[in-house]
Amino acid sequence: MIEQPIISAHQLTKRFGNFTAVNAISFEVQKGEIFGFLGANGAGKTTAMRMLCGLSIPTSGTATVAGFDVYKQTEKIKKNIGYMSQKFSLYEDLTVKENIRFYAGIYGKSDEFIKEKTNRLLKQLHLESEANKLVGSLPLGWKQKLAFSAAVFHEPQIVFLDEPTGGVDPVTRREFWNMIYEAAASGITVFVTTHYMDEAEYCNRVTIMVDGRIEALDTPSALKQTYHAATMNDVFLHLARKANRNGD
Amino acid sequence: MKQFLAFVKKEFFHIWRDKQTLLILLGMPIALIMIFGFALTTEVKNSKLAVLDFSKDVATREIITELDASRYFDLVGVIHTYKDIEDLFHKGKAKIIIVFPPSFQSNLQHFNTAPVQIIADASDPNVATTLTGYAITIIMDYQKRLTQNKKLPYTIQTQLRMLYNPQLKGTYSFVPGVISMILMLVCTMMTAITVVREKETGTMEVLLVSPLHPIKVILAKAVPYLLISVINIISILLLSMFVLDVPLRGSLLLLLSESILFTVTCLSFGLLISTVTDSQQMAMFISLTGLFLPTIMLSGFLFPIENMPLALRVISNIVPARWYYQIVRAVMIKGLPLSTVWKETAILSGMTVVLLLGSLKNFKIRLA
């Protein structure tokens, strides 16, 4: 039996006036995959992601996320996804526990579920002693890991990560990716945008966007072979040089 | 509903954690009422009075004693020449000077008429008018007593009654004003800031991706400020009734419902501001210049609307506080029922609906 792709986009386009931010992109993502979305600033990554999250209505084209239509069923999509923005998305003036409870609360999870899973999570992150501390007092790396945990706390089918590792040191980034692998192993599909090319190597498949179009889509090793490059960085530079648009 | 409550709880955490702001929000109304009640007053009390008495007889002495005994005047000096008048005003030692010409009493008795001159420092015109008014009233009272037992051919007796506020207390007019000011500040500014803060920190994105409906996000943000406002209304009312002796003549229930209506108007205004701005500074700036200043200037609270030029009178119609101020004055001081303030109530409700629809529409547009 062939599984339905969990995300599928066909000729998806978004225009703002005369400016075409995303130009007819088509791709499919399978369940449990770690799908990387690469591109320079202003290439259209975030706009594409916003359409898939139901935050922005596409201008044309079709797409389904977790089996739901991005035009008509955004409410159902929202119930089935998690999201972590490029800005740090926890409340600094709330404690670790309160943040988790809040995010689980707005997804309508039951009290028992929240309580039981919070304890498990705190143990996992070795944050038991910090549970009642304000998030603002934690180091950035921990905040980032906590934000990811909050995004997958309600056990969504897909989690969208928008440049999740900005400003994080390499060690924490490595740990962060371990968490992503764990989530993927438990069946959560991970859709991640980044411009760190070493992170691209961690993805199962990678899309490179240039000027709103998809220039390349394959596994990292296949891409390196196609473009005769030693690293993903070289692949990216090769493609991104074609860009006409400047970064934002 | 459970999701909504989880959100409201989070909002309370935010407010509770920021103790300074909370203290300001709850303390400011009390401070303002106290300042207006005891320090700032439009009443003129204990003004410096001097007399230039060329007559020095029983009648002038009696009038001077009565002026001095009233709470409006304090006799600070007796002068002897016209030259001293200018001198006293220059040095600011007197606000008003009363001049009795020679043989005041004998003129009064023999010719049935005697002039008296009142000279006031009109560099502050309002004070000068008020003071001369008080002085004339006191002198007329004296004359009435003199003529009590005599038959005069023609007399018109004016009887003055100051309804609703017989002592002409300033507190009666600023308590309603302070209430509208506080509600405007707490509801409009704080709501605008709290929504814009989520945009600034990036948490708004996450909230919009969640299954929580955007309208619920907005409403949940408003709930805590609605509650704080109700606390403020109650504390202002208690203070003004028991500390400043301002009566509550109308129905408390009507006053509270009208206040909640105005609170909702202010909240909607705050929401509208939050949909058009992206930074907390901008939100604060718009709330202050766009709302707070008009509320103070054009609501009739400090300056009577009747005296304004036509253009300002027209503009004052779109200031919500103007209508709320009229309602509170009518209900609190005059004790009038809803049937007399229905027009103002309808205008406020209309404004609220327009503002709410406007902000919701704006919010949706920005979402797409």
Side-chain angles (χ1 to χ4, degrees):
Chain A
M1 193 184 91
I2 298 164
E3 260 192 279
Q4 282 286 317
I6 193 141
I7 302 175
S8 87
H10 186 68
Q11 299 290 309
L12 199 62
T13 302
K14 179 78 189 186
R15 264 183 228 107
F16 297 104
N18 289 326
F19 176 73
T20 309
V22 174
N23 192 356
I25 58 171
S26 303
F27 60 89
E28 284 180 351
V29 181
Q30 302 302 325
K31 190 171 157 51
E33 202 176 3
I34 299 176
F35 191 79
F37 224 62
L38 273 64
N41 289 334
K45 291 172 299 189
T46 302
T47 311
M49 187 183 251
R50 286 173 63 92
M51 283 192 281
L52 296 176
C53 291
L55 277 185
S56 171
I57 305 289
T59 314
S60 63
T62 56
T64 59
V65 174
F68 300 111
D69 182 62
V70 292
Y71 288 94
K72 290 176 200 139
Q73 295 172 301
T74 53
E75 293 307 307
K76 285 190 175 137
I77 291 176
K78 286 176 179 179
K79 279 204 180 84
N80 286 290
I81 61 171
Y83 177 81
M84 184 178 162
S85 75
Q86 46 189 317
K87 282 189 196 166
F88 172 67
S89 55
L90 296 176
Y91 294 96
E92 306 239 333
D93 56 344
L94 262 58
T95 66
V96 173
K97 251 188 180 167
E98 284 162 357
N99 264 297
I100 296 175
R101 240 181 247 157
F102 168 67
Y103 278 116
I106 59 173
Y107 281 90
K109 291 291 170 190
S110 73
D111 289 342
E112 301 88 70
F113 174 89
I114 296 175
K115 207 173 168 190
E116 196 264 330
K117 195 162 179 201
T118 305
N119 290 335
R120 200 147 34 99
L121 179 69
L122 290 175
K123 213 173 273 172
Q124 215 178 339
L125 292 173
H126 306 293
L127 277 175
E128 288 133 307
S129 55
E130 324 283 328
N132 292 315
K133 277 196 188 159
L134 296 187
V135 164
S137 66
L138 297 180
L140 182 68
W142 284 15
K143 287 185 199 169
Q144 220 71 1
K145 283 191 260 177
L146 195 61
F148 178 74
S149 307
V152 296
F153 193 87
H154 59 286
E155 299 172 351
Q157 294 195 49
I158 310 159
V159 63
F160 290 90
L161 309 174
D162 192 3
E163 292 174 16
T165 53
V168 174
D169 64 83
V171 178
T172 315
R173 241 164 66 197
R174 183 70 243 193
E175 287 173 2
F176 190 84
W177 273 89
N178 281 337
M179 292 181 73
I180 293 180
Y181 275 120
E182 272 171 44
S186 74
I188 296 177
T189 308
V190 179
F191 187 105
V192 55
T193 73
T194 180
H195 42 222
Y196 289 109
M197 288 310 132
D198 58 327
E199 289 189 347
E201 313 262 3
Y202 301 148
C203 299
N204 298 130
R205 280 194 307 151
V206 172
T207 291
I208 298 180
M209 271 189 91
V210 178
D211 286 353
R213 281 169 291 109
I214 291 183
E215 278 300 315
L217 167 57
D218 215 327
T219 60
S221 51
L223 282 174
K224 279 183 277 191
Q225 229 167 21
T226 314
Y227 293 95
H228 309 292
T231 61
M232 278 305 291
N233 206 21
D234 296 336
V235 175
F236 181 73
L237 287 176
H238 177 81
L239 289 168
R241 272 202 202 103
K242 294 197 254 170
N244 300 316
R245 249 184 235 168
N246 286 320
D248 48 11
Chain B
M1 196 59 205
K2 231 191 95 196
Q3 291 144 280
F4 184 70
L5 287 180
F7 203 116
V8 173
K9 202 166 132 197
K10 181 213 95 178
E11 289 305 314
F12 274 109
F13 281 137
H14 284 316
I15 296 174
W16 189 243
R17 290 283 144 75
D18 192 357
K19 290 273 186 341
Q20 272 173 320
T21 310
L22 183 67
L23 194 71
I24 293 173
L25 289 184
L26 292 177
M28 190 172 51
I30 296 172
L32 272 181
I33 281 284
M34 288 303 170
I35 290 170
F36 275 103
F38 294 109
L40 300 178
T41 159
T42 49
E43 290 171 60
V44 185
K45 275 188 278 190
N46 302 332
S47 300
K48 285 177 259 176
L49 164 83
V51 289
L52 176 54
D53 188 358
F54 292 112
S55 176
K56 294 204 175 66
D57 51 37
V58 180
T60 61
R61 215 166 26 243
E62 274 178 11
I63 293 177
I64 293 169
T65 314
E66 262 177 51
L67 286 168
D68 191 21
S70 81
R71 66 192 175 101
Y72 308 115
F73 299 108
D74 264 350
L75 186 62
V76 290
V78 178
I79 51 175
H80 305 286
T81 62
Y82 276 110
K83 223 172 78 240
D84 294 340
I85 294 177
E86 193 117 355
D87 199 43
L88 277 186
F89 280 139
H90 276 177
K91 289 184 183 153
K93 284 186 178 162
K95 284 276 170 208
I96 184 165
I97 295 177
I98 301 201
V99 185
F100 294 101
S103 45
F104 180 81
Q105 189 176 23
S106 62
N107 282 345
L108 201 58
Q109 280 166 352
H110 299 120
F111 303 110
N112 289 337
T113 176
V116 56
Q117 189 178 29
I118 301 174
I119 306 170
D121 174 0
S123 55
D124 184 342
N126 286 336
V127 172
T129 325
T130 316
L131 284 183
T132 48
Y134 289 149
I136 290 170
T137 315
I138 291 170
I139 295 170
M140 292 308 280
D141 278 350
Y142 177 76
Q143 177 190 297
K144 246 183 243 165
R145 246 175 301 141
L146 277 186
T147 55
Q148 241 169 15
N149 304 321
K150 290 177 190 156
K151 273 245 155 67
L152 291 175
Y154 308 106
T155 53
I156 296 174
Q157 291 193 340
T158 50
Q159 288 194 334
L160 211 59
R161 271 193 70 200
M162 293 295 183
L163 277 185
Y164 312 119
N165 185 1
Q167 295 140 297
L168 296 178
K169 277 195 185 164
T171 43
Y172 282 32
S173 72
F174 72 71
V175 164
V178 169
I179 299 181
S180 27
M181 236 162 74
I182 295 288
L183 291 183
M184 203 92 214
L185 208 63
V186 172
C187 299
T188 308
M189 197 159 100
M190 293 314 291
T191 316
I193 288 177
T194 180
V195 175
V196 172
R197 185 164 51 205
E198 299 248 9
K199 284 194 201 173
E200 263 187 14
T201 54
T203 42
M204 192 51 106
E205 290 265 292
V206 183
L207 296 179
L208 293 177
V209 178
S210 80
L212 200 58
H213 198 280
I215 291 173
K216 280 191 186 162
V217 173
I218 294 292
L219 288 182
K221 294 223 138 250
V223 168
Y225 294 102
L226 187 66
L227 195 80
I228 289 184
S229 302
V230 172
I231 296 176
N232 277 338
I233 294 168
I234 292 172
S235 74
I236 294 175
L237 285 182
L238 286 178
L239 271 178
S240 48
M241 283 160 68
F242 294 108
V243 181
L244 300 178
D245 293 323
V246 177
L248 172 57
R249 296 210 174 94
S251 134
L252 177 65
L253 194 69
L254 176 62
L255 186 62
L256 281 182
S257 347
E258 295 280 6
S259 302
I260 290 172
L261 172 64
F262 182 65
T263 310
V264 177
T265 316
C266 296
L267 290 173
S268 334
F269 227 134
L271 294 179
L272 186 65
I273 293 175
S274 74
T275 59
V276 296
T277 53
D278 286 318
S279 79
Q280 292 185 57
Q281 272 103 333
M282 197 62 200
M284 191 150 19
F285 182 73
I286 296 182
S287 322
L288 280 180
T289 53
L291 289 170
F292 196 57
L293 287 180
T295 298
I296 294 180
M297 307 284 207
L298 297 177
S299 64
F301 152 49
L302 282 185
F303 310 109
I305 292 170
E306 292 82 1
N307 295 353
M308 290 174 190
L310 183 68
L312 284 183
R313 261 181 300 171
V314 172
I315 296 174
S316 80
N317 283 324
I318 59 165
V319 178
R322 180 210 157 140
W323 304 105
Y324 176 68
Y325 177 65
Q326 283 181 1
I327 293 173
V328 178
R329 244 187 355 184
V331 174
M332 210 174 160
I333 313 296
K334 295 190 195 165
L336 297 175
L338 178 62
S339 53
T340 48
V341 291
W342 69 268
K343 199 184 96 189
E344 287 84 354
T345 311
I347 292 174
L348 266 188
S349 317
M351 282 180 173
T352 311
V353 171
V354 170
L355 288 172
L356 260 184
L357 288 181
S359 50
L360 289 180
K361 190 165 164 262
N362 225 330
F363 195 70
K364 274 191 185 149
I365 288 171
R366 292 181 62 94
L367 216 59

